[in-house]
Amino acid sequence: MSARTKARKRALDMLFQADVLDVPVMEIVAGEASRAAGEPDRVASWLYAREIVDGVTDHRAEIDDLISSYAQGWTIDRMPNVDRAILRIASWEMLHNPEVPAPVAINEAVGLAKEYSTDDSSRFVNGVLGKIAEHAQS
């Protein structure tokens, strides 16, 4: 598993925890930073996970507006927490990280949805992100 794939999982964990526990994401990040400091082999994945979480936090309003506009019949608040976090991560990568091609961001997000969410989530995530990718190219 690549360092970026591990980083996406770590970012998902942090965003999900903050959402479920209803605490500021930076509290979760601080705890993860302490753990990462004690495990030098996790440095590469930690740095990108932190970049993702910071990026999602900085651009959350824009990202949530896009997700809401393309998630037909779903509001951000009605989405399962894990799906919402996955969509935010991939949306940030497509919109604000030119190093990650949209198909890679979508593929990684669909994989996370298959692993951590419901049977229908991967199709939902794929559909929403496909529309966001089209938006990003226009």
Side-chain angles (χ1 to χ4, degrees):
M1 180 183 313
S2 77
R4 285 211 168 175
T5 297
K6 289 178 186 177
R8 287 179 186 98
K9 286 184 177 192
R10 292 180 79 178
L12 174 60
D13 288 344
M14 288 186 278
L15 292 170
F16 178 79
Q17 283 181 42
D19 207 13
V20 169
L21 298 174
D22 195 27
V23 298
V25 72
M26 289 305 132
E27 283 183 29
I28 303 297
V29 169
E32 283 295 312
S34 296
R35 278 190 282 285
E39 299 177 33
D41 58 320
R42 294 175 61 172
V43 170
S45 67
W46 163 248
L47 293 175
Y48 189 56
R50 176 67 192 259
E51 184 179 349
I52 292 169
V53 172
D54 287 346
V56 167
T57 302
D58 292 346
H59 299 281
R60 186 167 166 180
E62 171 199 11
I63 290 168
D64 284 359
D65 284 347
L66 277 174
I67 292 170
S68 293
S69 67
Y70 293 117
Q72 298 171 351
W74 287 89
T75 63
I76 286 284
D77 294 334
R78 276 193 57 225
M79 289 177 196
N81 296 13
V82 70
D83 293 358
R84 184 171 44 239
I86 291 168
L87 288 167
R88 286 173 173 160
I89 290 166
S91 295
W92 174 80
E93 284 188 311
M94 289 190 294
L95 297 168
H96 298 286
N97 187 349
E99 295 176 10
V100 179
V104 171
I106 293 169
N107 188 51
E108 291 280 334
V110 168
L112 287 170
K114 285 180 181 178
E115 187 171 350
Y116 295 109
S117 197
T118 68
D119 292 340
D120 295 330
S121 289
S122 60
R123 287 189 302 274
F124 173 71
V125 164
N126 188 54
V128 173
L129 293 176
K131 292 174 185 169
I132 290 173
E134 289 173 9
H135 169 86
Q137 291 176 345
S138 61

